[in-house]
Amino acid sequence: MIKRLQNRIAESRYTLAVTAFYSIIIWLIAGLVSQQWWIQFGCFVVSAWMMMMINRENLLIRIYSRLVSSAYLVLTCAAVFLFASRACAIMQMGAAISLYLLWHCYQDREAVGWTFYTFLSLGIGSIMQSQVLYYLPIYWIIMAWFTYSLSWRTFFASILGLLTPYWFCLPYYALQGENCLDILSSHLSTLFDIATLPDYSVLTITKVVYLSFLMMLMVIGSFHFITTSYRDTIRVRQIYYSFILIAAFSLFLVIIQPHCYDMVIHVLILAISPMIAHFFALTHSKFTNILFISTLIIILLFTGYHIIWIS
């Protein structure tokens, strides 16, 4: 079997270290120090660590490869315009942690502890972005169809985990003399914006182009996995099918709720990174090698353009 550039990079033990160093440089150039993006950067590091742990503990790729976390790093750095959002960074970290914890519940309908912490992480994300709650049905579907962990006990554990962050936040606001019910209703009222017509004017050309790029990667990665999934274990198939479901729902969400773009992009990157990593790590043709090089060039162009645009 011919090992092309994509395979040498995918299987190299230095790939993750190089992409991590590259990511730090991009954050520094973009304004990590001058803009004081320390919280955002910390969330970025934790999210990358979670992607690495998901890959390592579930063997998402049949060969040794760190391409899952590396793909997450470079795709995130290509969206420099999202670095400044503290709320989205915390939301993405919560989503990454929840995805990692969710697969500890695999085939265990009594995993109330893991389920609680999964939805606790999701609840923390919803404190930052209330639209995260749109993903609740998707998580329950994943529990029912993919992790086989949904039961009455785990369902109530998920509700309890989701509400726990609010039980801590609302008393804090009460101590500050704020009206808790007004704050809660104002926070959750954005969930019902779906009744209004979508306002696509909030999407700049830059955002649309980057979203289109992610959609292309999603189509390539999901099609490749579906056609070759018989080579993977049942557990890995279920994990990737859940990623495909999350990515598809995210695209639907940004169509009907364009003002959720920043949140959706963070979730899309989490879902698409494993799919495109699986594709590039396990293909060997000349065409896929050209596609790999082209993808890297596009990512670098996106990153450079967005850094200049932010400046």
Side-chain angles (χ1 to χ4, degrees), residues 82-236:
L82 298 177
F83 283 6
S85 176
R86 182 180 301 178
C88 285
I90 295 174
M91 180 280 304
Q92 187 186 47
M93 180 183 68
I97 294 174
S98 69
L99 288 173
Y100 168 71
L101 295 173
L102 182 61
W103 287 97
H104 284 81
C105 308
Y106 185 66
Q107 294 184 334
D108 187 359
R109 296 179 184 273
E110 302 298 320
V112 292
W114 288 115
T115 303
F116 172 83
Y117 291 119
T118 296
F119 284 83
L120 174 64
S121 303
L122 205 63
I124 293 172
S126 72
I127 292 288
M128 299 294 106
Q129 294 270 316
S130 63
Q131 290 84 359
V132 169
L133 297 175
Y134 288 140
Y135 286 92
L136 269 181
I138 302 302
Y139 268 69
W140 285 326
I141 290 172
I142 291 173
M143 290 173 63
W145 293 355
F146 301 130
T147 66
Y148 309 116
S149 63
L150 185 63
S151 65
W152 284 113
R153 292 189 65 192
T154 55
F155 175 76
F156 285 117
S158 69
I159 298 295
L160 186 62
L162 189 70
L163 294 178
T164 298
Y166 291 89
W167 290 343
F168 282 94
C169 289
L170 292 180
Y172 168 79
Y173 285 114
L175 291 174
Q176 299 296 317
E178 303 284 348
N179 189 315
C180 296
L181 292 179
D182 287 346
I183 292 175
L184 183 62
S185 61
S186 175
H187 180 68
L188 297 180
S189 64
T190 55
L191 294 174
F192 303 99
D193 289 345
I194 194 171
T196 62
L197 291 176
D199 180 15
Y200 294 107
S201 64
V202 299
L203 300 180
T204 63
I205 295 179
T206 300
K207 290 184 175 182
V208 172
V209 171
Y210 185 68
L211 176 63
S212 302
F213 175 65
L214 290 182
M215 288 177 61
M216 181 193 73
L217 296 183
M218 173 194 164
V219 171
I220 294 172
S222 58
F223 178 79
H224 169 261
F225 179 78
I226 291 172
T227 56
T228 63
S229 61
Y230 63 91
R231 300 176 183 174
D232 291 294
T233 64
I234 294 177
R235 181 188 179 99
V236 170

Side-chain angles (χ1 to χ4, degrees), residues 39 44 75 223 250 252 276 299:
I39 293 178
F44 168 73
L75 286 176
F223 178 79
S250 298
F252 170 74
I276 199 63
I299 288 174

Side-chain angles (χ1 to χ4, degrees), residues 7 12 23 27 40 43 45 67 70 114 150 158 165 181 191 204-205 220 223 230 256 260 273 276 278 283 291 294:
N7 308 116
S12 173
S23 301
W27 274 85
Q40 295 90 316
C43 293
V45 172
L67 208 56
S70 297
W114 288 115
L150 185 63
S158 69
L181 292 179
L191 294 174
T204 63
I205 295 179
I220 294 172
F223 178 79
Y230 63 91
I256 64 172
C260 295
S273 297
I276 199 63
H278 187 278
T283 53
L291 184 61
S294 301

Side-chain angles (χ1 to χ4, degrees), residues 23-67:
S23 301
I24 294 172
I25 297 299
I26 295 300
W27 274 85
L28 289 171
I29 295 175
L32 172 61
V33 178
S34 60
Q35 302 295 329
Q36 297 294 299
W37 289 337
W38 299 110
I39 293 178
Q40 295 90 316
F41 181 71
C43 293
F44 168 73
V45 172
V46 173
S47 299
W49 179 261
M50 289 297 101
M51 296 304 293
M52 185 180 71
M53 295 299 290
I54 291 173
N55 179 38
R56 189 175 73 176
E57 294 187 8
N58 298 285
L59 300 176
L60 296 184
I61 301 178
R62 297 188 300 273
I63 60 174
Y64 175 87
S65 178
R66 300 291 189 185
L67 208 56

